[in-house]
Every structure is written in C-alpha cells, then in structure tokens.
Amino acid sequence: EQVPVRAFMSDLTEELGLELEERQVQFLYTDKMEQDLPVSLDRKRMHQALRNIVGNALKYGPEKGLVIKAELSKQGDLACLKLSDNGPGIPADKLPHIFDRFYRIDKERTKDLMSTGLGLAIARELVEAHRGSITACSEEGKGTCFTITLHFAE
Ligand code: ATP
Ligand code: MG
C-alpha cells in the first residue's frame, strides 16, 4: 500500500494518543520533510513495529517526566524516522543484542512477567519485511534512540 508519510505519522500518534496521555508522556513530533511523499508499507505491520518501540520507552522509562521524541526526515531515497526516549539507556555491551529473540537485559529490572524479549526482534522483522532498516543507539543514563529507514514508493 502506498501511504503518504505524514498521514502515516498522524495515524500513529492518534493511535498512541490515549496511552501517552494516560501516562502523561510528552510526545514531541518534528517533521523535517519538505513535502509529503508516499512510502510503501503495510500500515498495521509498521504500526506494530513502532508500538513495540514506544512500548519499551513506556515500560523502561521514568514514571514521571518521560519524553518521547519522533523526527521524520528525508535522507536521499529514504524516509528516516527517529524515535528517542529519555529513559535509562542501554549499556554499550548489551546494545548489539537487543534485537535478538528472547534477549532481555536485566531480568530483575522489569519484574514484568509479560515481557518475553521478543518486541524488538519482531519490530526488526517487520521493518525488514518492508526492505527497511532499524538500528539503535543509546547512552546509559541519557536515553535510547531508534532509527528506522523506509523506501519511498516508486
Ligand atoms: P517484550 O517486548 O517481548 O514484552 P522486552 O521489552 O523485554 O519484552 P524487547 O522489546 O525485545 O523485549 O527489548 C529487549 C531488551 O532491551 C529489553 O528487555 C530492555 O532491557 C531493553 N530495552 C529495549 N528498549 C529499551 C528502552 N527504550 N530503554 C531501555 N532499555 C530498553
Ligand atoms: Mg518490549
């Protein structure tokens, strides 16, 4: 399906709206695209991928004062979406593993029995099924940032 990126982002923020409001999360969205362009994607699948990332920000981030930023930009032939949080961050030696299936950093950190360690593995599969890429960077104590790139529709 060909979806204009701006429409896609406003759908997404709408979908996340209530959850973010309830948690009193500051959600800051910046659109750096000069024009709206279509990307080819499966809305449901891409929403799922982004929900997994935002879900982590909510789960691992601070109870109060969580800020999630989203930035959309054009990088040549690619649409680039950056999602960042001001949560605890991920230690550099753990970062290469976070997309592995069943990988969870500190089983004590979240006493959450619902966590399986699959969220990011699924997110990566979904993004790669779109011929896109997803990478993470993080600084302990500062936060975590995910970058997703997608091809514009022909
Ligand atoms: P699930 O998503 O299946 O409920 P999960 O959240 O533990 O379980 P992933 O979403 O794959 O699994 O994340 C893997 C690990 O990476 C998490 O256990 C967590 O330790 C770490 N992590 C992921 N996102 C963040 C984040 N935004 N801030 C800090 N740590 C994170
Ligand atoms: Mg998760």
Side-chain angles (χ1 to χ4, degrees), residues 22 24 26 66 72 86 94 128 133:
E22 268 171 17
Q24 298 189 319
Q26 242 197 94
L66 176 60
L72 178 68
N86 61 342
K94 308 275 165 53
E128 288 181 349
S133 73

PDB file of all heavy atoms in Angstrom, residues 22 24 26 66 72 86 94 128 133:
ATOM      1  N   GLU A  22      -2.490   9.121  29.172  1.00  0.00           N
ATOM      2  CA  GLU A  22      -2.675   8.494  30.478  1.00  0.00           C
ATOM      3  C   GLU A  22      -1.395   8.490  31.284  1.00  0.00           C
ATOM      4  O   GLU A  22      -1.406   8.695  32.485  1.00  0.00           O
ATOM      5  CB  GLU A  22      -3.150   7.045  30.307  1.00  0.00           C
ATOM      6  CG  GLU A  22      -4.653   6.917  30.297  1.00  0.00           C
ATOM      7  CD  GLU A  22      -5.105   5.514  29.907  1.00  0.00           C
ATOM      8  OE1 GLU A  22      -4.275   4.586  29.957  1.00  0.00           O
ATOM      9  OE2 GLU A  22      -6.279   5.380  29.547  1.00  0.00           O
ATOM     10  N   GLN A  24       0.933  10.573  30.915  1.00  0.00           N
ATOM     11  CA  GLN A  24       1.433  11.949  30.917  1.00  0.00           C
ATOM     12  C   GLN A  24       2.821  12.052  30.317  1.00  0.00           C
ATOM     13  O   GLN A  24       3.723  12.676  30.873  1.00  0.00           O
ATOM     14  CB  GLN A  24       1.407  12.524  32.329  1.00  0.00           C
ATOM     15  CG  GLN A  24      -0.011  12.589  32.874  1.00  0.00           C
ATOM     16  CD  GLN A  24      -0.103  13.342  34.173  1.00  0.00           C
ATOM     17  OE1 GLN A  24       0.748  13.203  35.038  1.00  0.00           O
ATOM     18  NE2 GLN A  24      -1.140  14.131  34.308  1.00  0.00           N
ATOM     19  N   GLN A  26       5.355  13.260  27.484  1.00  0.00           N
ATOM     20  CA  GLN A  26       5.497  14.334  26.499  1.00  0.00           C
ATOM     21  C   GLN A  26       5.907  13.707  25.179  1.00  0.00           C
ATOM     22  O   GLN A  26       6.947  13.054  25.102  1.00  0.00           O
ATOM     23  CB  GLN A  26       6.600  15.273  26.975  1.00  0.00           C
ATOM     24  CG  GLN A  26       6.125  16.683  27.232  1.00  0.00           C
ATOM     25  CD  GLN A  26       7.313  17.615  27.281  1.00  0.00           C
ATOM     26  OE1 GLN A  26       7.676  18.211  26.283  1.00  0.00           O
ATOM     27  NE2 GLN A  26       7.911  17.737  28.452  1.00  0.00           N
ATOM     28  N   LEU A  66       8.693  11.312  31.419  1.00  0.00           N
ATOM     29  CA  LEU A  66       9.130  10.628  30.200  1.00  0.00           C
ATOM     30  C   LEU A  66       8.856  11.510  28.982  1.00  0.00           C
ATOM     31  O   LEU A  66       7.769  12.057  28.826  1.00  0.00           O
ATOM     32  CB  LEU A  66       8.390   9.293  30.056  1.00  0.00           C
ATOM     33  CG  LEU A  66       8.655   8.489  28.774  1.00  0.00           C
ATOM     34  CD1 LEU A  66      10.124   8.123  28.645  1.00  0.00           C
ATOM     35  CD2 LEU A  66       7.793   7.233  28.740  1.00  0.00           C
ATOM     36  N   LEU A  72      10.838  12.965  11.705  1.00  0.00           N
ATOM     37  CA  LEU A  72      10.735  12.411  10.361  1.00  0.00           C
ATOM     38  C   LEU A  72      11.557  13.276   9.419  1.00  0.00           C
ATOM     39  O   LEU A  72      11.455  14.500   9.424  1.00  0.00           O
ATOM     40  CB  LEU A  72       9.259  12.429   9.934  1.00  0.00           C
ATOM     41  CG  LEU A  72       8.934  11.930   8.529  1.00  0.00           C
ATOM     42  CD1 LEU A  72       9.186  10.441   8.418  1.00  0.00           C
ATOM     43  CD2 LEU A  72       7.472  12.246   8.198  1.00  0.00           C
ATOM     44  N   ASN A  86      14.021   9.430  26.906  1.00  0.00           N
ATOM     45  CA  ASN A  86      14.975   9.871  27.931  1.00  0.00           C
ATOM     46  C   ASN A  86      14.975   8.882  29.096  1.00  0.00           C
ATOM     47  O   ASN A  86      15.065   9.259  30.246  1.00  0.00           O
ATOM     48  CB  ASN A  86      14.638  11.287  28.407  1.00  0.00           C
ATOM     49  CG  ASN A  86      13.261  11.361  29.035  1.00  0.00           C
ATOM     50  OD1 ASN A  86      12.436  10.469  28.839  1.00  0.00           O
ATOM     51  ND2 ASN A  86      12.985  12.406  29.797  1.00  0.00           N
ATOM     52  N   LYS A  94      25.577  -4.344  25.742  1.00  0.00           N
ATOM     53  CA  LYS A  94      24.310  -5.058  25.586  1.00  0.00           C
ATOM     54  C   LYS A  94      23.598  -4.659  24.291  1.00  0.00           C
ATOM     55  O   LYS A  94      22.788  -5.408  23.747  1.00  0.00           O
ATOM     56  CB  LYS A  94      23.369  -4.742  26.769  1.00  0.00           C
ATOM     57  CG  LYS A  94      23.991  -4.954  28.127  1.00  0.00           C
ATOM     58  CD  LYS A  94      23.858  -6.402  28.550  1.00  0.00           C
ATOM     59  CE  LYS A  94      24.745  -6.795  29.712  1.00  0.00           C
ATOM     60  NZ  LYS A  94      24.662  -5.973  30.900  1.00  0.00           N
ATOM     61  N   GLU A 128      12.195  -5.030   8.308  1.00  0.00           N
ATOM     62  CA  GLU A 128      12.979  -5.632   7.223  1.00  0.00           C
ATOM     63  C   GLU A 128      12.083  -6.248   6.151  1.00  0.00           C
ATOM     64  O   GLU A 128      12.467  -6.304   4.983  1.00  0.00           O
ATOM     65  CB  GLU A 128      13.996  -6.636   7.785  1.00  0.00           C
ATOM     66  CG  GLU A 128      15.125  -5.890   8.500  1.00  0.00           C
ATOM     67  CD  GLU A 128      16.201  -6.786   9.086  1.00  0.00           C
ATOM     68  OE1 GLU A 128      15.995  -8.018   9.134  1.00  0.00           O
ATOM     69  OE2 GLU A 128      17.239  -6.238   9.513  1.00  0.00           O
ATOM     70  N   SER A 133      15.288  -0.618   7.315  1.00  0.00           N
ATOM     71  CA  SER A 133      16.288  -0.982   8.316  1.00  0.00           C
ATOM     72  C   SER A 133      15.940  -0.339   9.652  1.00  0.00           C
ATOM     73  O   SER A 133      15.234   0.671   9.717  1.00  0.00           O
ATOM     74  CB  SER A 133      17.678  -0.514   7.872  1.00  0.00           C
ATOM     75  OG  SER A 133      17.756   0.893   7.996  1.00  0.00           O
TER      76      SER A 133
END
